Amino acid sequence: MKEINLNYIKNIRDLGGYKTTDGKTVKENKLIRSGAVWKIDEKDYSVLVNQLHVDKVIDLRNADEREGSPDVDIPGATNIHLPIFPQNENDALSRVSDELKSSSFTKKLEHFYETKGDFSVYNLMIANYIMFITDEYCIKQFRVLFDYVLNEDDDHALLYHCAGGKDRTGVASFIILALLGVDEDTLKYDYMVTDKYVRSEYEAALERAKGYPERPLLPEILDGTINVHEEYYDSMVSYMKEKEGDIISYIKKYFSITEEEINLLKSKYLD
């Protein structure tokens, strides 16, 4: 993994540099993961365009998230909207009263804490991680992302992101790196290292929460949604292994990825 230091895009890093189990190395300046690309300055622009040669920015957020902070246009790069979360009545956060439909994510979570005695933000997040790898819509969207990765040309880099670059982006990175042959310890490391990048955001949010003593649930909600928790990742991996024995077998079966595609992926992104 190679760190990328930008002024406005947070939790951004290059998947390049990781070693695979057969001794190869993931190429640098090809696959970039990050938080939302809502603002850039001259420095950020120069790194993205002149150093990394980004030609696709794939936004994994839902439409309501994009409305609040849309991606900026980067000259020469195509902005692709590829929402991972399904928006339907089966989604717990969609089943809220009309007056809460336009409320913030934290407000909706507070509502569930107040109306459902057994609700936990941590359990919700674990359920989301299982949903990412079991829900038909989520799988289809991750598969589309994989196709973009597979078809990226050799002269450019592809950047994909969600809001914080932790959950949807973390699962996308996990799938890509697993298929490239990165070992399980490194897969988990890449997920968990996000903690380093979101820690200051969490601490700032927690400080702001002190100004709302009438909202005592905020600290727990912020911890559950912003911070990186090992059990989120572990629950997803355990589910895969219980179903198919190992990670790769699960991804190949449920994401409809062939051995030929894996070989092509490796030929494009490994040295």
Side-chain angles (χ1 to χ4, degrees):
M1 178 204 71
K2 185 178 74 172
E3 293 189 13
I4 301 171
N5 295 312
L6 298 182
N7 289 329
Y8 288 102
I9 304 176
K10 306 305 180 184
N11 195 14
I12 180 168
R13 53 193 193 270
D14 189 339
L15 295 190
Y18 284 130
K19 298 293 184 182
T20 64
T21 55
D22 59 357
K24 295 187 177 180
T25 305
V26 180
K27 292 180 181 178
E28 294 186 349
N29 300 342
K30 299 297 297 177
L31 297 169
I32 314 298
R33 56 173 293 175
S34 78
V37 186
W38 66 278
K39 184 178 181 180
I40 60 174
D41 59 9
E42 283 190 25
K43 173 194 172 181
D44 294 359
Y45 171 85
S46 179
V47 171
L48 292 171
V49 175
N50 300 323
Q51 295 182 30
L52 298 175
H53 306 292
V54 170
D55 75 334
K56 291 183 184 67
V57 177
I58 301 181
D59 188 348
L60 307 179
R61 298 175 299 166
N62 283 3
D64 57 343
E65 295 174 280
R66 284 167 57 88
E67 287 174 11
S69 54
D71 277 357
V72 296
D73 289 327
I74 299 173
T78 303
N79 193 300
I80 299 160
H81 184 206
L82 187 64
I84 296 298
F85 273 118
Q87 291 288 290
N88 55 53
E89 291 306 311
N90 293 320
D91 174 10
L93 291 183
S94 295
R95 298 195 306 272
V96 294
S97 56
D98 288 339
E99 61 266 26
L100 284 170
K101 289 290 186 181
S102 60
S103 296
S104 68
F105 184 57
T106 52
K107 281 283 190 181
K108 290 175 182 176
L109 292 180
E110 286 175 292
H111 169 77
F112 276 96
Y113 265 108
E114 293 162 359
T115 58
K116 297 180 182 294
D118 61 347
F119 181 80
S120 161
V121 66
Y122 305 106
N123 289 340
L124 174 68
M125 294 298 293
I126 288 172
N128 281 343
Y129 275 73
I130 301 300
M131 180 181 70
F132 288 147
I133 59 169
T134 59
D135 180 86
E136 183 178 342
Y137 179 84
C138 295
I139 288 172
K140 177 178 71 70
Q141 296 298 83
F142 278 122
R143 170 69 218 207
V144 172
L145 174 61
F146 176 78
D147 288 335
Y148 277 116
V149 170
L150 205 59
N151 292 292
E152 179 62 282
D153 67 67
D154 294 336
D155 298 323
H156 293 93
L158 180 150
L159 184 152
Y160 56 95
H161 74 88
C162 52
K166 174 172 68 76
D167 303 312
R168 290 160 286 188
T169 299
V171 174
S173 302
F174 162 79
I175 292 170
I176 294 167
L177 289 172
L179 292 173
L180 284 171
V182 171
D183 67 84
E184 288 194 34
D185 287 343
T186 304
L187 293 176
K188 189 168 185 176
Y189 167 82
D190 184 70
Y191 174 77
M192 294 299 298
V193 77
T194 288
D195 182 69
K196 168 184 174 181
Y197 297 94
V198 301
R199 180 57 53 179
S200 61
E201 175 191 351
Y202 167 69
E203 290 174 352
L206 196 60
E207 189 63 30
R208 290 194 298 272
K210 292 179 181 178
Y212 300 92
E214 73 281 7
R215 299 173 68 184
L217 296 168
L218 264 182
E220 181 170 322
I221 289 172
L222 294 172
D223 175 54
T225 55
I226 296 177
N227 280 337
V228 180
H229 289 273
E230 194 171 356
E231 57 264 36
Y232 301 166
Y233 177 92
D234 288 345
S235 65
M236 175 182 67
V237 171
S238 294
Y239 184 93
M240 289 178 157
K241 290 181 176 180
E242 287 169 8
K243 287 292 183 181
E244 296 300 326
D246 62 83
I247 293 168
I248 297 300
S249 296
Y250 187 97
I251 295 173
K252 287 172 66 176
K253 179 177 179 178
Y254 291 95
F255 290 78
S256 302
I257 293 173
T258 67
E259 196 65 40
E260 290 75 19
E261 288 174 321
I262 294 174
N263 290 335
L264 176 57
L265 183 77
K266 290 180 176 180
S267 70
K268 287 177 66 70
Y269 293 103
L270 295 181
D271 279 328

